[in-house]
């Protein structure tokens, strides 16, 4: 077992890529549409502190640093309770957007120690977090 996790996913969103991109760039308003993002605080033009809590009774305290804000790619470096990167890719698909996710993280500290035995539960928790993201993002992008 390892403290390293790789997550990925692909979803279709019924909104054009520029609209999805605009919603994803607006980090300050993530708590309005992504239920598992409980707070966001700007730390500067490229950095933010984000608190996330999915189904497990544990709040992740993360610092995000923007690495790429291209129209077809949004990538951040993570530090804090997770260390690594998260990348969303956006591509036109019919009348909407094909959204891709690649996340590679190392889990330090006590949560990392728990990862050795709780790996399936932590993966399930991440799946729940991303289900909230896709549902909220679909609703938010559809209103724009």
């Amino acid at each position: 077992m390892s403290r390293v996790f790789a997550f990925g996913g692909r979803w279709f969103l019924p909104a054009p890529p520029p609209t999805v991109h605009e919603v994803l760039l607006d980090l300050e308003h993530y708590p309005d549409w992504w239920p598992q993002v409980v707070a966001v605080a700007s730390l500067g033009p490229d950095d933010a502190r984000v608190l996330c809590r999915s189904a497990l009774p544990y709040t992740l305290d993360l610092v995000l640093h923007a690495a790429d804000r291209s129209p077809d790619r949004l990538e951040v470096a993570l530090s804090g309770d997770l260390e690594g990167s998260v990348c969303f890719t956006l591509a036109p698909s019919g009348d909407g957007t094909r959204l891709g996710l690649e996340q590679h993280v190392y889990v330090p500290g006590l949560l990392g120690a728990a990862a050795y035995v709780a790996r399936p539960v932590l993966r399930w928790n991440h799946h729940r977090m991303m289900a909230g993201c896709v549902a909220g993002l679909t609703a938010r992008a559809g209103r724009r």
Side-chain angles (χ1 to χ4, degrees):
M1 290 293 190
S2 172
R3 292 177 178 232
V4 176
F5 286 80
F7 299 106
R10 301 282 180 267
W11 303 274
F12 174 79
L13 301 175
T19 302
V20 175
H21 188 265
E22 178 184 333
V23 174
L24 287 172
L25 273 179
D26 190 11
L27 193 64
E28 178 183 336
H29 288 101
Y30 276 28
D32 296 342
W33 59 266
W34 192 341
Q36 293 82 8
V37 176
V38 296
V40 175
S42 175
L43 301 175
D46 293 327
D47 301 288
R49 183 174 181 197
V50 179
L51 302 179
C52 302
R53 184 180 183 127
S54 190
L56 296 178
Y58 184 84
T59 301
L60 293 174
D61 188 349
L62 306 170
V63 174
L64 281 61
H65 174 75
D68 190 342
R69 293 187 182 121
S70 303
D72 62 346
R73 181 182 176 89
L74 295 168
E75 185 173 0
V76 296
L78 296 174
S79 60
D81 288 336
L82 302 176
E83 298 172 0
S85 64
V86 178
C87 180
F88 282 112
T89 56
L90 298 88
S93 179
D95 59 352
T97 301
R98 178 66 52 199
L99 180 69
L101 167 77
E102 289 185 28
Q103 180 176 357
H104 301 277
V105 295
Y106 168 77
V107 186
L110 291 176
L111 186 59
Y116 288 106
V117 293
R119 189 172 194 83
V121 175
L122 295 175
R123 292 190 73 77
W124 169 82
N125 196 58
H126 184 270
H127 177 77
R128 294 283 307 266
M129 172 116 185
M130 293 313 302
C133 170
V134 172
L137 182 55
T138 298
R140 184 72 164 210
R143 288 195 297 264
R144 292 198 173 193

